[in-house]
Amino acid sequence: MHHFDAAYEMLHGLSSRYEAECEFLRSVAPIISHRRKDADLEKVHSEIVINCERFGLHKTSLIMLCTLSCLYERNDGEEPLIGRKIIKPTDSYSYEDAHNAISDLRALEMLAAINGLNIGCVAFCTRDKHLAALWCGLNISSPKWLDSQFTCSIEPDVSLFPRLSETDVAELVQELND
């Protein structure tokens, strides 16, 4: 029964977060829809963080990490385009676009949460190479449930932010955790 209570609490939390995530994506998609010059990165980064906070989202959420992955992709548009291929930002981002991106991210959240239930080895099968790359690049570890709260550790890999060095990624993660 404990597992059902935890699952219910998780689903309840997800539904209340959904609208905020939709609005967040709709607000930031236009500013990440095109690759930015190095000189613009800091300003756009700040704008993304402000929007994240305005909609009450955690700065370490998957949606935030994917958004920053779009910002810090390679200048030349070459792979990996992990965040961009999941969020698919455009200048006229719709609720449907946001819903599709959030649904992909929910699958990964569910995988992490299920692994925290200690019910055995759980796998995820997808043909979406960018979603698989996100999962691998997040380096999720230590999934666990305490009462009805799920926690895990995320140590994003440089593959999610190709324009940043390993030191820059560590600083970014520290900033997001503060």
Side-chain angles (χ1 to χ4, degrees):
M1 189 63 161
H2 174 70
H3 297 303
F4 293 117
D5 290 339
Y8 174 79
E9 288 296 321
M10 184 177 71
L11 291 174
H12 186 266
L14 292 176
S15 67
S16 64
R17 190 170 30 121
Y18 175 80
E19 283 300 320
E21 288 174 329
C22 281
E23 292 301 327
F24 169 74
L25 282 177
R26 293 190 72 228
S27 71
V28 298
I31 65 174
I32 59 169
S33 63
H34 305 285
R35 275 182 293 289
R36 296 303 192 122
K37 297 176 186 174
D38 288 340
D40 296 337
L41 293 179
E42 188 175 325
K43 177 184 177 236
V44 175
H45 176 103
S46 294
E47 208 171 322
I48 291 168
V49 170
I50 288 167
N51 276 291
C52 181
E53 291 170 342
R54 179 170 65 124
F55 291 108
L57 301 173
H58 293 285
K59 291 189 293 184
T60 56
S61 65
L62 296 188
I63 206 139
M64 179 65 162
L65 293 173
C66 276
T67 302
L68 292 174
S69 180
C70 292
L71 179 63
Y72 293 116
E73 67 190 13
R74 291 173 46 129
N75 284 337
D76 59 11
E78 293 294 315
E79 292 284 342
L81 298 171
I82 297 169
R84 180 163 305 278
K85 295 295 185 170
I86 292 170
I87 293 178
K88 300 176 180 87
T90 62
D91 289 331
S92 57
Y93 205 70
S94 69
Y95 281 105
E96 290 82 9
D97 296 326
H99 173 80
N100 289 336
I102 292 166
S103 295
D104 284 344
L105 297 176
R106 286 293 189 272
L108 297 186
E109 289 177 4
M110 293 293 168
L111 178 60
I114 290 168
N115 277 309
L117 292 174
N118 295 319
I119 57 174
C121 185
V122 179
F124 180 64
C125 184
T126 181
R127 289 183 60 195
D128 186 330
K129 72 178 186 177
H130 296 97
L131 195 58
L134 175 62
W135 176 257
C136 293
L138 289 170
N139 293 310
I140 295 175
S141 62
S142 307
K144 61 184 165 212
W145 285 92
L146 183 58
D147 297 320
S148 60
Q149 292 294 316
F150 172 74
T151 61
C152 66
S153 295
I154 297 177
E155 294 183 34
D157 186 277
V158 72
S159 67
L160 297 179
F161 315 103
R163 206 183 292 194
L164 301 179
S165 69
E166 286 187 27
T167 303
D168 293 334
V169 171
E171 290 173 1
L172 174 65
V173 169
Q174 183 62 44
E175 173 203 337
L176 297 176
N177 281 315
D178 288 342

